[in-house]
Amino acid sequence: MPELLDAAIQRPNFVTFILLLLAGLYICVSHPNLIKKLIGLYLVQNSVIFYFVTISAKEGATVPVLLDPSRPVQAEAFVNPLPHVLTLTAIVVQVATLGVSLGIVSAINKRFGSFDEEAILEKLQ
Amino acid sequence: MTYSFELPLLLLLLLTAGAAIVAKDLLSAVLLLGSYSFFLALVWAWLGAVDVAFVEAVVGAGLATVFFLLTLFNAGRGGIRFRRASPPLAAVVVLPVLAGLLLYAANDLPQLGDPQAPASVHVSPEYLTRAYAETQTTNIVTAVLMDYRALDTLIETVVVFTSGIACWLLLRRDSE
């Protein structure tokens, strides 16, 4: 058990990722308000992207931009660019899906006059 | 890797995320979420992911907050406040178990900043060493995004276009 705790303390980003993911999941399943559910969904997506970027970090490395391209490139001197590219796509798609879901929530609100799940269910019956 | 600069940022990240979750007012929850995105962008800039930090600051902290605010202001004041509800039992049981399992797996993951991490030794050095000769682009993230994965980026813009059409269809005035 102590070595497990130590392993977790050595990886502060992973612990942050777990906390953000679980907080987002919790609010996603437990809160009756639709906007709060979307905030939870946003936290879940963002926490996974956060962990992806964490994987790319290298100790003592700099940003993946070549200042002097004539010199040969040492791969250890630059952080891993591949997770960055994946997450760039993921962030844009995340905001696109967020826009569509907020549009749906806005249409629901226009018809039923509430963001609350149970108020909407009552009006449906 | 020293954490002295990163730990306060991570704490601010958790604090703003938690505040966005517990805030009683939807408007303040949305604004706290915007500041959360901004702190996330700072953490990414610290980790060396400047391109991701730019995108998060513009798209995450800017555009997503604007989307949330537009939805709230369309709804008027009536929809902004809400009531509390008791959490479901399944969430209270399952989520701590999930947290325990994830922490149990922490030991098998590479440490933060390990240059020998599996993700950093497979194909990534090939991209780093060959990108300039093959694409004449000094920013390697741009080289991968726009040259090696150009089709992927094209489909991504198709996704954004589709979501724009979907929003327009949902929100046009004469939707009755």
Side-chain angles (χ1 to χ4, degrees):
Chain A
M1 201 63 203
E3 61 269 20
L4 277 182
L5 208 62
D6 200 44
I9 289 168
Q10 291 294 314
R11 298 164 178 80
N13 285 25
F14 186 63
V15 177
T16 314
F17 154 69
I18 294 174
L19 290 173
L20 287 175
L21 177 81
L22 293 179
L25 269 179
Y26 173 74
I27 211 74
C28 223
V29 297
S30 76
H31 211 283
N33 191 290
L34 292 176
I35 298 277
K36 278 272 185 178
K37 274 185 198 288
L38 285 184
I39 289 177
L41 192 68
Y42 184 81
L43 286 178
V44 171
Q45 292 174 318
N46 243 336
S47 68
V48 176
I49 294 172
F50 170 64
Y51 191 63
F52 253 77
V53 175
T54 300
I55 292 174
S56 77
K58 283 185 208 169
E59 197 163 359
T62 183
V63 295
V65 177
L66 310 177
L67 286 180
D68 182 8
S70 55
R71 269 188 295 173
V73 177
Q74 298 292 318
E76 299 81 36
F78 298 97
V79 294
N80 185 355
L82 299 182
H84 298 183
V85 182
L86 278 178
T87 53
L88 279 182
T89 312
I91 291 172
V92 174
V93 170
Q94 166 191 5
V95 173
T97 52
L98 182 77
V100 174
S101 45
L102 279 171
I104 293 172
V105 167
S106 196
I108 288 174
N109 183 63
K110 203 158 75 179
R111 176 133 182 215
F112 296 101
S114 173
F115 286 129
D116 195 294
E117 236 176 21
E118 287 173 18
I120 292 165
L121 281 177
E122 272 170 27
K123 288 201 178 161
L124 273 176
Q125 280 159 4
Chain B
M1 203 168 239
T2 54
Y3 302 137
S4 53
F5 188 67
E6 199 198 8
L7 277 184
L9 280 180
L10 291 182
L11 283 179
L12 278 171
L13 203 62
L14 287 173
L15 207 67
T16 46
I21 282 173
V22 298
K24 286 204 173 64
D25 183 72
L26 282 183
L27 200 58
S28 35
V30 165
L31 291 177
L32 281 165
L33 197 71
S35 62
Y36 158 83
S37 279
F38 184 69
F39 286 125
L40 201 57
L42 283 183
V43 174
W44 284 341
W46 185 79
L47 286 172
V50 277
D51 306 75
V52 190
F54 278 142
V55 171
E56 178 65 28
V58 173
V59 176
L63 199 59
T65 311
V66 169
F67 282 169
F68 272 116
L69 287 179
L70 277 179
T71 312
L72 287 185
F73 287 141
N74 268 337
R77 288 302 299 180
I80 289 187
R81 296 199 64 88
F82 56 83
R83 59 188 178 73
R84 295 237 158 257
S86 59
L89 188 66
V92 177
V93 176
V94 170
L95 293 183
V97 173
L98 192 58
L101 283 175
L102 282 171
L103 281 175
Y104 179 68
N107 209 5
D108 296 331
L109 288 166
Q111 293 209 356
L112 175 59
D114 182 8
Q116 296 304 313
S120 302
V121 293
H122 186 224
V123 291
S124 137
E126 299 291 320
Y127 278 98
L128 279 166
T129 47
R130 287 202 217 149
Y132 186 74
E134 288 177 357
T135 66
Q136 302 294 309
T137 311
T138 49
N139 187 336
I140 297 169
V141 176
T142 312
V144 178
L145 190 75
M146 289 297 172
D147 288 295
Y148 294 108
R149 290 189 195 156
L151 265 180
D152 194 23
T153 308
L154 177 70
I155 306 296
E156 179 198 339
T157 57
V158 173
V159 169
V160 174
F161 181 62
T162 314
S163 79
I165 291 176
C167 280
W168 177 70
L169 288 175
L170 281 166
L171 296 177
R172 49 189 180 157
R173 298 235 178 261
D174 52 342
S175 59
E176 304 305 314

